[in-house]
Amino acid sequence: MSENEVNTRSASRPGGRAARIQAAVYAAVARLRAEKGDEGLSVHAIAQEAAVNPTTIYRRWGSLSQLLSDIALQKLLPDSEPEDTGNMHEDFSRWLEEYVDELATETGRKLLSEIAAAESDEYRVRCQRRHVEQIEAIRQRAIQRGEIPPGTERVMDELIAPIIYRILFSHTLPDFTWASVLLAKLLRV
């Protein structure tokens, strides 16, 4: 069995070695950030704090940037499906409110920046995929109810993109009221 197969099996087994290492490394990053800020972050310092070998971090994540992007992605993207209210507009509205509340903060800005700065496209692709899954869940429920939702690409272009742009590049973080105007235009309400 190859090392990759062992890592895949461990990662899929709750409480396996890979899960314990990931939890220890994530916790080490959180402790070091709390104590020293990002200036205190290095692969060596994280490995020492997590009681793992630095090569374990390099083998699993490749670099400090990739590790921070992985942590950011885990914090930013919900695992649960969007709430089903029985109405497309309300489903989008509740999802959007949660989305903006999570991302439109200084912490959200920092986490998005870490994903955008990752050396590999993996984290950006995973982030985009999760956005699409969330939007598709709302769209498919709307279609089943006989509603006519906008296409996923249109939602990404007219709702998500302006929010992300404002979070990353504007001095003013978006709020739900501002994002609701975008949603109303998108849904033509």
Side-chain angles (χ1 to χ4, degrees), residues 92-107:
F92 269 119
S93 185
R94 289 196 184 174
W95 176 79
L96 180 62
E97 183 172 17
E98 184 178 320
Y99 183 78
V100 171
D101 283 350
E102 289 293 319
L103 292 180
T105 63
E106 286 303 323
T107 300

Side-chain angles (χ1 to χ4, degrees), residues 29-51:
V29 170
R31 285 191 301 272
L32 289 170
R33 275 186 162 156
E35 292 172 12
K36 303 175 184 180
D38 282 352
E39 296 75 34
L41 294 179
S42 69
V43 170
H44 181 73
I46 294 166
Q48 186 173 4
E49 184 73 22

Side-chain angles (χ1 to χ4, degrees), residues 20 35 46 63 72 80 90-91 103 106 110 115 121 135-136 141 151 153 163 185 188:
R20 287 191 303 273
E35 292 172 12
I46 294 166
S63 69
S80 61
E90 190 62 27
D91 284 359
L103 292 180
E106 286 303 323
K110 182 178 181 178
I115 291 171
D121 285 339
I135 292 164
E136 274 299 307
R141 288 193 308 244
E153 190 170 331
I163 292 169
K185 287 178 185 175
R188 306 221 189 284

Side-chain angles (χ1 to χ4, degrees), residues 5 12 37 52 58 65 79-80 86 108 130 140 154-155 161 165 174:
E5 290 172 318
S12 64
V52 300
Y58 284 117
S65 172
D79 289 331
S80 61
R130 190 62 187 146
Q140 291 308 312
R154 190 164 159 233
V155 174
Y165 179 85

Side-chain angles (χ1 to χ4, degrees), residues 25-87:
V25 169
Y26 282 13
V29 170
R31 285 191 301 272
L32 289 170
R33 275 186 162 156
E35 292 172 12
K36 303 175 184 180
D38 282 352
E39 296 75 34
L41 294 179
S42 69
V43 170
H44 181 73
I46 294 166
Q48 186 173 4
E49 184 73 22
V52 300
N53 193 305
T55 58
T56 300
I57 293 173
Y58 284 117
R59 187 173 44 251
R60 182 173 177 119
W61 288 281
S63 69
L64 177 60
S65 172
Q66 296 292 100
L67 169 60
L68 297 178
S69 294
D70 188 52
I71 292 170
L73 189 65
Q74 297 300 319
K75 288 181 180 180
L76 286 177
L77 300 179
D79 289 331
S80 61
E81 289 297 313
E83 184 179 354
D84 185 356
T85 66
N87 173 281

